[in-house]
């Protein structure tokens, strides 16, 4: 299966990356290829709401999003990983998500959702935040859900960890890395084999 992963954190070796690496390790062990996008290192313009995609479902801006569009069309499993910044996803990943307005037009205006493919399309959301309050994840969760549904991923598991702040703190969490690894395994299991990991919330 083609697996596409997005790392929303700009902090190299940070908590989000450590978590995502565990999920990717599990996916690769199962023999699947992962295409990883790092928005913080890409040439990505934010959406300018020009309406250019309204009638075609194609963005008129020319930058690294072209690779992302292709990967999203061809992908079957998707991992979105982001830290919480000011109660939302990072600006880097949000810019990429906003550019998926082109898929929104394709799905909802042109009534042509991205085809499901033989194995369906499933997602995994990973988030970390320094605050100790669950509320901090609500906006990020809503944005990620809108993103997944827009690219025609109708179901996704989610793992999020609060109170994880300093670089590398996630390694001290008793279960986070193991759960991310298990979630990676679950992501690429075909229907019927899939582990029940939906909506796991950790302290
Ligand atoms: C600009 C900025 C805003 C932040 N806002 C929040 C926030 O609203 N809620 C929260 O729980 N953590 C917040 N944090 C803390 C990060 O989510 C936390 O440090 C996280 O572990 C960073 O993940 P990373 O190491 O993958 O970059 C913020 C950090 C930064 C740099």
């Amino acid at each position: 299966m083609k697996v596409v992963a997005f790392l929303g954190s700009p902090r190299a070796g940070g908590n989000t990356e450590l978590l995502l690496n565990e999920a990717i390790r599990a996916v690769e062990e199962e023999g699947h290829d992962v295409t990883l996008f790092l928005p913080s290192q890409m040439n990505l313009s934010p959406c300018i709401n020009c309406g250019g995609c309204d009638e075609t479902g194609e963005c008129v801006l020319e930058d690294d999003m072209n690779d992302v569009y292709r990967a999203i069309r061809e992908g079957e499993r998707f991992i979105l990983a982001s830290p919480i910044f000011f109660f939302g996803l990072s600006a880097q990943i949000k810019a990429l998500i906003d550019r998926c307005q082109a898929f929104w037009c394709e799905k909802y205006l042109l009534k042509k959702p991205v085809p499901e493919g033989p194995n369906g399309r499933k997602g995994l959301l990973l988030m970390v935040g320094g605050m100790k309050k669950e509320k901090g994840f609500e906006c990020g969760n809503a944005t990620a859900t809108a993103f997944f549904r827009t690219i025609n991923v109708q179901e996704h598991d989610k793992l999020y960890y609060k109170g994880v702040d300093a670089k590398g703190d996630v390694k001290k969490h008793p279960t986070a890395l193991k759960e991310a690894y298990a979630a990676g395994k679950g992501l690429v299991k075909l229907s019927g084999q899939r582990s029940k990991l939906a909506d796991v919330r950790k302290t």
Side-chain angles (χ1 to χ4, degrees):
M1 270 186 275
K2 287 185 181 174
V3 182
V4 185
F6 303 97
L7 174 58
S9 172
R11 181 157 70 171
N15 298 311
T16 314
E17 185 174 348
L18 291 167
L19 215 47
L20 178 60
N21 283 348
E22 282 306 290
I24 288 177
R25 187 165 69 85
V27 165
E28 289 179 339
E29 275 178 14
E30 294 298 313
H32 304 283
D33 288 333
V34 178
T35 303
L36 174 63
F37 289 102
L38 284 72
S40 64
Q41 292 177 27
M42 293 167 68
N43 174 27
L44 279 186
S45 164
C47 175
I48 55 171
N49 196 8
C50 65
C53 59
D54 283 0
E55 289 171 16
T56 61
E58 283 183 28
C59 183
V60 298
L61 299 175
E62 287 286 338
D63 57 17
D64 291 347
M65 261 316 273
N66 288 333
D67 296 332
V68 177
Y69 291 135
R70 197 174 312 113
I72 287 177
R73 281 190 197 290
E74 294 173 0
E76 298 168 284
R77 299 289 181 270
F78 300 88
I79 310 176
L80 175 59
S82 179
I84 297 299
F85 283 179
F86 280 84
F87 284 73
L89 301 181
S90 73
Q92 289 82 2
I93 194 67
K94 184 61 166 46
L96 183 151
I97 289 173
D98 286 355
R99 291 286 297 283
C100 290
Q101 178 68 2
F103 286 113
W104 190 92
C105 292
E106 197 172 82
K107 182 175 182 186
Y108 296 106
L109 300 181
L110 306 176
K111 314 288 182 205
K112 283 196 268 178
V114 180
E116 279 268 341
N119 299 312
R121 290 164 73 79
K122 288 173 187 161
L124 172 63
L125 171 62
L126 304 173
M127 294 187 289
V128 291
M131 271 188 5
K132 295 202 168 107
K133 289 184 183 164
E134 191 109 335
K135 191 166 182 54
F137 297 96
E138 285 176 8
C139 284
N141 191 33
T143 303
T145 300
F147 165 67
F148 279 134
R149 301 304 176 262
T150 294
I151 63 166
N152 211 22
V153 171
Q154 295 304 331
E155 58 173 295
H156 67 276
D157 287 333
K158 55 194 173 202
L159 286 174
Y160 43 95
Y161 299 95
K162 59 191 179 187
V164 175
D165 204 4
K167 187 172 174 178
D169 261 0
V170 75
K171 285 193 268 190
K172 297 183 206 153
H173 190 284
T175 57
L177 296 177
K178 279 186 201 142
E179 285 170 346
Y181 177 83
K185 291 269 180 190
L187 184 67
V188 290
K189 282 210 170 92
L190 291 171
S191 296
Q193 301 178 289
R194 194 153 179 251
S195 63
K196 278 275 165 214
L197 194 76
D199 206 3
V200 179
R201 294 169 193 211
K202 289 291 143 193
T203 53

